[in-house]
Structures are given as C-alpha cells and as structure tokens.
Amino acid sequence: MNGAESLVRSLLASDVEVCFTNPGTSEMHFVAALDHVPGMRSVLALFEGVATGAADGYWRMARKPASTLLHLGPGLANGLANLHNAKKAGSGVVNIVGEHASSHIALDAPLTSDIEGIARPVSHWVRSSSSAADVGFDAARAVRAACTAPGQVASLILPGDTAWTMGGVVADRLTPPAPPRPGDALVEQAAQALAGPDSLLLLGGGAMDAQGLEMAGRIAAKTGCALMAEWASARAERGAGRVALPKVPYPIDLALEALAPYRRIVLLGARAPIGFFAYPGKPARLTRPDAEILELATAGADLPATLDALVQATGAGGTAAPLAKASLPDLPPLGPLTPDSIAPLIARAIPEGAVVVDESVTTGRAFGPATTGAAPHSWLNNCGGSIGYGLPVSIGAAIARPDRKVLALISDGSGMYTVQALWTLAREGLDVTIVIFANRSYNILRGELTNVGVQNPGPRAIDMLSLDRPTLGWVDMARGMGVEASRVEDTAAFALALEAGLAAQGPVLIEAVM
Amino acid sequence: MNGAESLVRSLLASDVEVCFTNPGTSEMHFVAALDHVPGMRSVLALFEGVATGAADGYWRMARKPASTLLHLGPGLANGLANLHNAKKAGSGVVNIVGEHASSHIALDAPLTSDIEGIARPVSHWVRSSSSAADVGFDAARAVRAACTAPGQVASLILPGDTAWTMGGVVADRLTPPAPPRPGDALVEQAAQALAGPDSLLLLGGGAMDAQGLEMAGRIAAKTGCALMAEWASARAERGAGRVALPKVPYPIDLALEALAPYRRIVLLGARAPIGFFAYPGKPARLTRPDAEILELATAGADLPATLDALVQATGAGGTAAPLAKASLPDLPPLGPLTPDSIAPLIARAIPEGAVVVDESVTTGRAFGPATTGAAPHSWLNNCGGSIGYGLPVSIGAAIARPDRKVLALISDGSGMYTVQALWTLAREGLDVTIVIFANRSYNILRGELTNVGVQNPGPRAIDMLSLDRPTLGWVDMARGMGVEASRVEDTAAFALALEAGLAAQGPVLIEAVM
C-alpha cells in the first residue's frame, strides 16, 4: 500500500473516524485513500477555519480526536485561529497537512511556505514525515499526542511523495501517557485550605463534567468553601440535577468583585484568574493581592482522581452535593429582543441533553444564571477568545453526538468570521438550531473602548465597531448556503421560531434582530 | 501624544493613507487615533483575510503600501493566507498587529499567542515595539521595509501599553534602499544569449508594466528571441497598444511543451519556471534539461533600468515593438456558459482602463488569448496559489484607483473562501463588477487527481471536490451582504448582465451558472 493508505488505516486503528477537510493537489492521494478505505467519514468545509473548529467541537463531545486534512501552509494558516481556540480549550486535534514532494520544496513553488513555522504557534506537537514507511507510525504518534491530557493539537506534515510512494505500514494505536495526579501531601494541603466561606475551589477543564461537579459540590457542602468555574469552559455539564457553578465574569470590575472575598484559592483544572486583557490602571491578576493560591491540579492532570482524593481528604464522602432543581424563568413580556428578554426564552427552550455552543458574547452574559435550572445540557464556551469558533464547533459537536440537539448561540460579528460553516451544516444535514444575535455591532468593543481609557470616541471610531452599514441579511445568507432560516424581532416570534427550530430535523437558522 | 497617535501620524508621514482593519480590544487606542488624526481612510473588514488581501490589491494599483490593523495573533492568523499571496506577488504591506500590554504577555491570557512566530513565515520584516517612544520610528521602518523592491510584507507588533502611554514621537519617512541593477558584463551576456527563436526572454514582476513590455518588445523584434511571462503576474498591462505576451501555462504538460523550444533563457524579474506542484514521473523544472538559464535581474532589481540597458546592449533602440491591435473576438453562439463561450464575452466587455482581478482558475484558461486585443487594461493574478485572494484584492484595487472600473473574475470555490468581502464592497460602495463562475466544483482538482496518478477515484473522493450539495446561491448571499446580484445561465443573459454591471456604479455580482 502507499503512504496515503497507511495514513488512513493507521488513523482508523487509533480510533480516528472523522476527517474535516478542504484538500488540494498535494492531498489528492489522501482523498483517494479516504475513498478506498472504508470507515473514515470525510466532511468537506469551504474554508479551513471551519474544518479546524469542527475538529475542536468533535473532541469536546466525542472525547476522542478527529483529523483535519489541510492544503499546504496556506490551508493550515486558514485554520490557525480555530486551532488557537482548540489549544486553549484543551481539545485534541490531529492535523494532516499536505506538503510538496520533498524534492520540490527547495524550488520554492508559489504555494511553498514554512509549514512547520506556521504550525508551531498553535501546536503542541509538529512533525514532518520523511518517507512512506514512516507515515503510519507518525500518524499513530500524532494521535497519541492529541490524546495526551487534557488534549493537544498535533500537526503532521506529509510531503506528497510520502503519500504516493509504496511501502506504507499500518501502525497500531499508541497509548497516551497517564495524566499525573497530585501527591497526598498536596491534596492534604488543599483540603486544609478549603475551610469556610473565604476559601474558593476554582474548577476548570475536565473537572466540569457531571461527576466532577458532583464531587466538588460535596466538598463545598462539607467545608463551606465556595465553588466557581473559570471564565470559559470547553464543556460544562449544567442544568437541573447538576451542581451549579458561577463563573468568573468577563468584565474586569465584576471579576475583581466576584473574587474579592477569597483569601485561599485552590485550583483544580483551572488557572489562576487573570484579566482577559490588560486595562490601564487595573490589576492583571483578578484575585486579591493577599490571596494564597494553591495549584492542586492543572488541566492536564487526572482530575477525577484528584477530586476523589480531595473528597476523601476533606471527609466529604458522606455529604450530599447541592444539586440544581428544575426551574425555568418566567416568560418575558411581549416586546423587543434584549439580552434580558432572550435569556429566559433560551432557558425555557433548551431540550434535555442539548449541546449549547455559546458564542453569544455580550448578548449572552445573562444566559448563565437563567439556565441553571434548565433541562440538563452541555455548555461549550470559546476558551481562546478568537471569534468565529461557534458555527464550526457546532458541526463537530453534531457529528460527534447525532443523538443530541445542538443549539448554537452566535453573535453576528462572530458568525460572519466562519459563515461558510452554514454550507457544511446543510450538506451534512446536521441537527443544529442556530440563533444569530443581530445587534449589528461589535458590541463588546464599545465597552472596551471605555475600559482601555479612550475618551469620547468619534464617529469614525464608532464606525469601525458597527455592522449596520449595510445590514447583514442572515436569512438570505443562510438560504444561499442551503439552510432554512427566518427572522424575528420580538419575544413572541423568537419563542415560536426557537421552538419550531428545535423541533425540526436538520439545520435551522433564526436571525434575532436586537 | 500617545504611541497610538504617533503611529497614525508616522504612517501618514510615510504616505500610508489607508488602513484595512478588524480591530479588537488591544487596538482600541489605534482606532481612537485613526479617528482623531485626519487623513487616514479606515476600511472595516468582517474577516482579516479580507483586510490583508485588500492591502495586496491596494499596493498593486497604488504602488504604495496600505496598512492593516489586526487583533493579536489570531487576527493576524486569519490574514495569513492572503499575506502569503501578497509576499509571493511582491506586494508591500504594513501590518499593524496589536498585542497584549507587555506586562500581560507572561500571564498567558486566552488570546495570548506567539505573534512573531505567526508573522514570520509570511513576513520579510517583523518587529515588536518596546515603548511608546519607539512606535513612530518603528512604523517608518515598517513602511521602508514594505517599500523595499519589489515590495515586502512588514509586520509591526504593538503591545497595548505602547499605544496608550504618552511620549509618542512622529517619525519622518525613510527612503527605501535603491534596487540593484545588473553589471554591464551580465547585461552583455544576456544580450548575446538572446539571439534567434530558440532564445527566450522571460519576464515577471515590475517588467510587466506598459513601458517594460514595450522595451521587451523592441528587444524581441531586434534579436528574434521569444517573449513570455511567468505563470502569474501581480499586475500586467495588456490589451490593444501593448506588447502581448503568452504566459507559461499552468498545466504541466502544456508548460513543458511551451518551453521546449528554448535553449537559452534570460530571466528578467522572473524566476526559472518550475511546476506548481510535483507530479510523479514528471520533471519539476519545466525548461529543457540542456537549457542555459541566465538570471539577469530578480523581481527585486531595478527592472526599468535593466530593460533599458538590455535595449542598448542588443541595439534595439531604434526598433519598433510589435503592439497588439485592437481586436475583439466574435460573439459566441447563443447557448450555455462554458469557458470558451465566456472568454469572448469577457474580452468584448472589458472597459478601457479596467482592472481585471483574475481568480477564475479553470474557467479562465482561455481568457488570456481572447483578451489580447481588448481595450487596454491591467490584469492581476494570484501569485501565491492560496485561493480567496480575488474579492479582497478587488477591494484594495478599487480603493487605490477609484477612477478605474474593477472586473473581478472569481471561481465559486475561491469566492467562498473570503465571501465576507462582499459586505465591505457594499459598505464602501466600490466600483467592482464581480462575476462568479459557478461550476459548482473544485474543478481544478478533478484534473489534478489524474495528474498525480490517482486511478479511478470513487464517489467519496469526487464528493470532496464537489460544491453542488447544496447548490451555493450567490444571489442570496450577495444580497445578504448588501450587493446587488443576478443569476444568468446562457451567453445572451451573461452578456447583458455584464454590460449592465459594468455600466452601474458600485458593486454588482453576476452568478454565471456553468
């Protein structure tokens, strides 16, 4: 078999079953191998940022990596921003990047670039195969790297001749390294620190699953400590029957206020809270200056085992965790769509088992509290801050979990970044209900202008934050890419459209004009 | 003044008058400075690949750089592919990339990344300013780097505190280094080589302007050598009254055939012809093995002076260049739209002085010969091979030359890569007529599957090259972004739509269904 076929067979042997792709000439042998070898689902994206974001979403819901297949350096470059987001979320992704044949690279053809250089800033692992015989084993190593806790970005660069030359060898799956767990002394120290309402257990990463939260809830009930989640979680299990956690707010003043009570903070899968940006005259570290911060376990540690050990050390084994009760907010009055009138409608509509992909930015700041008692669901945040993550992540989530409804909450500015995702949603018939919050501005930046100390911004500055000239017609754009769509302007119409969208099979887009 | 204001004033002092941007929090002070300082035109893009491609197009038509303003590493990453294209085209671009405040970088916030690492693969020049006092001079140096022949990509990274801190200093324009010119001996050697029909003068870069072509035409007329252009030109002056050049074909077998006659090849602003890709069993160098190749001048040399010297050395000063006569192809028969029926309609419609931005890929292979005798025009190609260059480059070209009509010839697969450009075209009311060739496939890859030796591709492979499930509705998408649009399916309707589009002011899109 040639190297390309050994790639596909080795990926399958490592349990990689999905490939998000936009291929080119240098990847044609891989495309042919995807065709000849049964078992790999190939999903075409019209832009590589869609492919890499989809791989991120797939990992979050499948707990195993998908591959991407990207065309040379520029194809990888187009996927870079969502790989940045995946890296920050701790998502495992296996990028397969085609390269010119080895003999061709030195000639500096038009598409030649420094692919390793482009890959490195967003990858934990980068390798170029040197022969067809290496491709299978390199693929297995890439998957192992991607599966290294909490999940990593692995980029395997394959020169064309490694694909078309015979001599490919299928490699077996390689076991990723076991995640570390903290020693008993550190666990004991953490248990001591968690005593009373001025102590905080800050959770992140894999600690946000239902079992992890339940253990954290016992610890809090036993010790009296507070619980909080990081500003963003790659995936948090929420809703009725789960332990509800507030999260560190995005606006810096609210974050400082929320963290002010805590003198002792234990980090479990989370990092010490810092500002999203630096603001003149404000601290970068959001915790009080005298806070003692204990890093019990990083996101890459064995978080279930760490939580279990902490339950034992705090003597919380027999304590019940406080679980959120099923409770839906009241219907908002009939009227215009605002963040506050939308939040209860979202909460009431979330179907049981839904995957909520949240890129609602400023519109969504009230969604967290409103949905605490909603039907149980998974909530996915953007952890890397690069907009354009939501629609692609929805693709991956829907492919990973076809048994669950995906609800994508997308701000208009963010949605435009990877709007091509709509076509893939339609092509694959994915069960995703998309809400576009059409506030027609980069609303977050209006606040940030003030936060960073800009006084009296003028009309040309405001114009750079406005999306209203011309108005974006989301219904037209969605239809142009094969997605059924409607436009709503008040709470009643939104509630009806959301109910209908969630009841339908396949992708539906709702433009919510604010 | 603060560093941000010194940036804007220094860019203006260096004759940079346009900024293509999608800013974020870290760039808010620059946005405010753009507002407070008169003279800089700010153009908002909904995706950074649009901004960087627009800067490429601006350089090609203005012969001076625009700036971009990009949000941190991910914003730069989104613009990378079109910076790759700009780099390969020899276009000067000044990227301004915001960065976290210096004190914040070590904290590894969500948006923190290795910005220099992301910039380096596509940049000739990369620098991070270290204080507000440095920003102005660093900006002047960035412009000088961008203006270094033939044109370079310069990326200046500005931490937030360098923007908001007082102490900014406005820098004067710095003179770029004079481009080198070849010595007399080399010119004499080239003149000797150009004798008879088995010698070829291969032109590229700045040699493709009207004066350069005219000088090359004299040399050919005097010496009997052949003339040819590189596979792609950043900007070529063409049409009636200009010296017409065939170009090295893209398909490898045609390229080998076209170059087979030449035993002696002189490169003037061009590189030795190589295959776009490596193909198994085919040579990478497209010239005959015994060809003597003389590099007279690289793209970065003083090409007008080199051509002038070569005219003298060949004694062609008194020889007239053969100029293309005004000549339009016959109307095609009424019927379906095909590459062959479209080519004469394009040729007949090109207005005098038009800027043709060509990303027509397979559809456009017949356009070159058909348009040789069309009204005089500039023709812009993609020199880097990363698709999605055409719509953004049209923005920059139209802003650089509001006195000229822009005709953008875009394949559907390419257009989708940076489809967000339509919104900026509408917002700025740019005088661009866009033709989308809707063949509903990555048609070039169907040929490439065979070229790289894939036998009998199966349905799943073909599916990865098809854009017809669902059909892309370009009229809907264009209207959704504020661009007037129509859909045509035969030659008569296409001719009428093209005439109407070119007669209108502002952007018009024609979906040509093939």
Side-chain angles (χ1 to χ4, degrees):
Chain A
M1 78 182 75
N2 66 17
E5 185 175 330
S6 77
L7 172 80
V8 178
R9 291 193 185 279
S10 299
L11 289 174
L12 287 167
S14 284
D15 203 24
V16 175
E17 302 178 305
V18 177
C19 179
F20 298 103
T21 183
N22 189 288
T25 299
S26 42
E27 295 77 39
M28 284 298 102
H29 285 274
F30 298 117
V31 170
L34 290 171
D35 195 90
H36 296 148
V37 181
M40 183 73 76
R41 178 170 179 182
S42 296
V43 178
L44 181 61
L46 298 185
F47 179 73
E48 290 85 352
V50 176
T52 54
D56 180 2
Y58 182 87
W59 167 274
R60 297 188 195 202
M61 295 312 302
R63 297 285 187 222
K64 63 179 190 175
S67 63
T68 67
L69 177 60
L70 308 172
H71 185 42
L72 298 162
L76 171 63
N78 282 330
L80 225 56
N82 270 335
L83 290 173
H84 166 91
N85 288 331
K87 182 186 179 191
K88 299 283 182 165
S91 292
V93 175
V94 178
N95 296 308
I96 307 296
V97 188
E99 166 62 298
H100 286 305
S102 310
S103 60
H104 208 67
I105 296 173
L107 298 180
D108 193 22
L111 273 163
T112 301
S113 64
D114 175 10
I115 305 183
E116 289 193 10
I118 294 171
R120 216 164 277 124
V122 296
S123 304
H124 300 83
W125 184 97
V126 179
R127 185 176 176 85
S128 298
S129 288
S130 50
S131 77
D134 294 333
V135 168
F137 188 61
D138 286 344
R141 288 203 280 185
V143 179
R144 180 176 59 186
C147 293
T148 298
Q152 300 193 136
V153 177
S155 297
L156 176 59
I157 300 162
L158 296 180
D161 52 321
T162 70
W164 72 55
T165 306
M166 301 305 282
V169 180
V170 179
D172 290 333
R173 179 171 189 277
L174 299 172
T175 306
R181 50 177 75 185
D184 293 344
L186 191 58
V187 173
E188 187 56 40
Q189 198 184 340
Q192 299 290 337
L194 295 174
D198 58 353
S199 61
L200 172 67
L201 179 57
L202 185 65
L203 302 176
M208 302 292 293
D209 68 10
Q211 291 70 30
L213 290 168
E214 199 270 342
M215 286 192 274
R218 289 176 189 227
I219 294 165
K222 177 74 181 184
T223 66
C225 77
L227 295 178
M228 207 178 283
E230 286 191 295
W231 156 79
S233 297
R235 174 178 169 184
E237 298 305 317
R238 304 180 72 251
R242 270 88 182 253
V243 172
L245 254 59
K247 60 181 186 176
V248 177
Y250 173 92
I252 185 156
D253 292 326
L254 296 182
L256 290 165
E257 189 184 325
L259 290 164
Y262 306 114
R263 295 176 188 275
R264 294 177 305 286
I265 299 174
V266 173
L267 305 175
L268 205 158
R271 294 172 57 226
I274 55 163
F276 201 87
F277 291 103
Y279 300 97
K282 309 231 166 170
R285 297 185 185 278
L286 303 177
T287 44
R288 49 191 288 170
D290 64 344
E292 292 169 25
I293 299 181
L294 180 68
E295 185 175 77
L296 176 58
T298 66
D302 186 338
L303 300 182
T306 304
L307 276 160
D308 191 50
L310 195 58
V311 167
Q312 307 308 324
T314 54
T319 309
L323 304 180
K325 290 189 174 52
S327 150
L328 297 177
D330 291 338
L331 275 175
L334 179 62
L337 292 168
T338 66
D340 287 337
S341 70
I342 289 170
L345 295 173
I346 297 283
R348 295 171 67 96
I350 292 176
E352 182 165 347
V355 180
V356 181
V357 178
D358 179 8
E359 194 168 27
S360 53
V361 195
T362 52
T363 301
R365 287 195 184 145
F367 292 176
T371 54
T372 299
H377 58 272
S378 303
W379 195 283
L380 279 51
N381 282 133
N382 184 352
C383 301
S386 179
I387 60 175
Y389 110 106
L391 293 174
V393 162
S394 301
I395 291 171
I399 286 177
R401 295 302 303 265
D403 56 319
R404 298 176 64 172
K405 194 85 188 182
V406 176
L407 174 60
L409 306 175
I410 312 288
S411 72
D412 49 0
S414 300
M416 282 306 292
Y417 261 63
T418 45
V419 68
Q420 303 93 337
L422 294 174
W423 183 83
T424 299
L425 285 163
R427 176 176 245 223
E428 300 290 328
L430 300 176
D431 206 12
V432 179
T433 301
I434 305 144
V435 181
I436 301 289
F437 299 110
N439 64 13
R440 295 165 182 172
S441 76
Y442 292 120
N443 200 35
I444 193 169
L445 295 181
R446 299 190 180 208
E448 294 291 65
L449 259 177
T450 312
N451 286 341
V452 300
V454 170
Q455 310 291 333
N456 307 317
R460 294 197 298 158
I462 295 296
D463 196 42
M464 290 300 105
L465 316 182
S466 302
L467 305 178
D468 60 353
R469 188 168 58 80
T471 297
L472 287 163
W474 281 94
V475 172
D476 286 332
M477 287 190 285
R479 286 181 185 157
M481 285 181 261
V483 172
E484 189 188 315
S486 65
R487 184 165 178 271
V488 297
E489 305 198 4
D490 62 41
T491 51
F494 179 68
L496 286 173
L498 191 54
E499 188 181 338
L502 290 165
Q505 279 292 312
V508 173
L509 182 143
I510 301 162
E511 179 183 357
V513 179
M514 303 183 64
Chain B
M1 80 182 74
N2 65 18
E5 186 175 332
S6 77
L7 172 80
V8 177
R9 292 193 184 279
S10 298
L11 289 174
L12 287 168
S14 284
D15 202 24
V16 174
E17 302 177 304
V18 177
C19 178
F20 298 104
T21 183
N22 189 289
T25 299
S26 42
E27 295 76 39
M28 284 299 102
H29 285 274
F30 298 115
V31 170
L34 290 170
D35 195 88
H36 297 147
V37 182
M40 182 74 74
R41 178 170 179 182
S42 297
V43 178
L44 181 61
L46 298 184
F47 179 73
E48 290 86 352
V50 176
T52 55
D56 180 3
Y58 181 88
W59 168 273
R60 297 189 196 202
M61 295 312 301
R63 297 286 185 220
K64 64 179 189 176
S67 63
T68 66
L69 177 60
L70 308 172
H71 185 42
L72 298 162
L76 171 62
N78 282 330
L80 225 56
N82 270 335
L83 290 173
H84 166 93
N85 288 330
K87 181 186 179 192
K88 298 284 181 165
S91 293
V93 175
V94 177
N95 296 308
I96 307 295
V97 188
E99 166 63 299
H100 286 304
S102 309
S103 61
H104 208 67
I105 296 173
L107 297 180
D108 193 22
L111 274 163
T112 302
S113 64
D114 174 10
I115 305 183
E116 290 194 8
I118 294 171
R120 215 163 278 123
V122 296
S123 303
H124 300 83
W125 184 96
V126 178
R127 184 174 176 86
S128 298
S129 288
S130 50
S131 77
D134 293 334
V135 168
F137 188 61
D138 286 343
R141 289 204 278 184
V143 179
R144 179 176 62 185
C147 293
T148 298
Q152 299 194 134
V153 177
S155 297
L156 175 59
I157 300 161
L158 296 181
D161 52 321
T162 69
W164 72 57
T165 306
M166 300 306 281
V169 180
V170 180
D172 290 335
R173 178 171 189 276
L174 300 173
T175 306
R181 52 177 73 185
D184 294 345
L186 190 58
V187 174
E188 188 55 41
Q189 197 184 340
Q192 299 290 337
L194 295 174
D198 58 352
S199 62
L200 170 68
L201 179 58
L202 185 65
L203 302 176
M208 302 293 293
D209 68 11
Q211 292 69 30
L213 291 168
E214 199 270 343
M215 288 191 274
R218 290 177 189 225
I219 294 165
K222 176 74 179 184
T223 67
C225 78
L227 295 178
M228 206 178 283
E230 285 191 297
W231 155 79
S233 297
R235 174 178 168 185
E237 298 304 318
R238 304 180 71 251
R242 270 88 181 252
V243 173
L245 254 60
K247 60 181 188 176
V248 178
Y250 173 92
I252 185 156
D253 292 328
L254 297 182
L256 290 165
E257 191 184 323
L259 290 165
Y262 307 114
R263 294 177 188 275
R264 294 177 307 285
I265 300 174
V266 173
L267 305 176
L268 205 156
R271 294 174 56 226
I274 55 163
F276 202 87
F277 292 102
Y279 301 96
K282 310 228 167 171
R285 297 185 185 278
L286 304 177
T287 45
R288 48 191 289 170
D290 64 344
E292 292 169 25
I293 299 180
L294 180 68
E295 185 174 80
L296 176 58
T298 65
D302 185 341
L303 300 181
T306 304
L307 277 160
D308 191 51
L310 194 58
V311 166
Q312 306 309 323
T314 54
T319 310
L323 303 180
K325 289 187 176 52
S327 152
L328 296 177
D330 292 337
L331 274 175
L334 177 63
L337 292 169
T338 66
D340 287 337
S341 70
I342 289 170
L345 295 173
I346 297 283
R348 296 170 67 95
I350 292 175
E352 184 165 347
V355 180
V356 181
V357 178
D358 179 9
E359 194 168 27
S360 54
V361 195
T362 52
T363 302
R365 287 197 183 143
F367 292 176
T371 53
T372 299
H377 58 271
S378 303
W379 195 283
L380 279 50
N381 283 133
N382 184 352
C383 300
S386 180
I387 60 175
Y389 110 108
L391 293 174
V393 161
S394 301
I395 291 171
I399 286 176
R401 295 303 302 265
D403 56 320
R404 299 176 64 172
K405 194 83 188 182
V406 176
L407 175 59
L409 305 174
I410 312 288
S411 71
D412 49 0
S414 300
M416 281 305 294
Y417 261 64
T418 45
V419 67
Q420 303 93 338
L422 294 174
W423 183 84
T424 298
L425 285 162
R427 174 177 248 225
E428 299 290 327
L430 300 176
D431 206 12
V432 180
T433 301
I434 305 144
V435 182
I436 301 290
F437 300 111
N439 64 15
R440 296 167 180 170
S441 75
Y442 292 121
N443 201 34
I444 193 169
L445 295 181
R446 299 191 180 207
E448 294 291 64
L449 258 178
T450 313
N451 286 341
V452 300
V454 170
Q455 311 291 334
N456 307 316
R460 294 196 298 158
I462 295 297
D463 196 43
M464 290 301 104
L465 316 182
S466 302
L467 305 179
D468 60 352
R469 189 167 59 77
T471 297
L472 287 162
W474 282 94
V475 172
D476 286 331
M477 287 190 286
R479 287 182 184 156
M481 285 181 262
V483 172
E484 189 188 316
S486 65
R487 183 165 179 271
V488 297
E489 304 198 6
D490 62 43
T491 50
F494 179 68
L496 286 172
L498 192 54
E499 188 182 338
L502 290 165
Q505 280 292 313
V508 173
L509 182 143
I510 301 162
E511 177 182 356
V513 179
M514 303 184 62

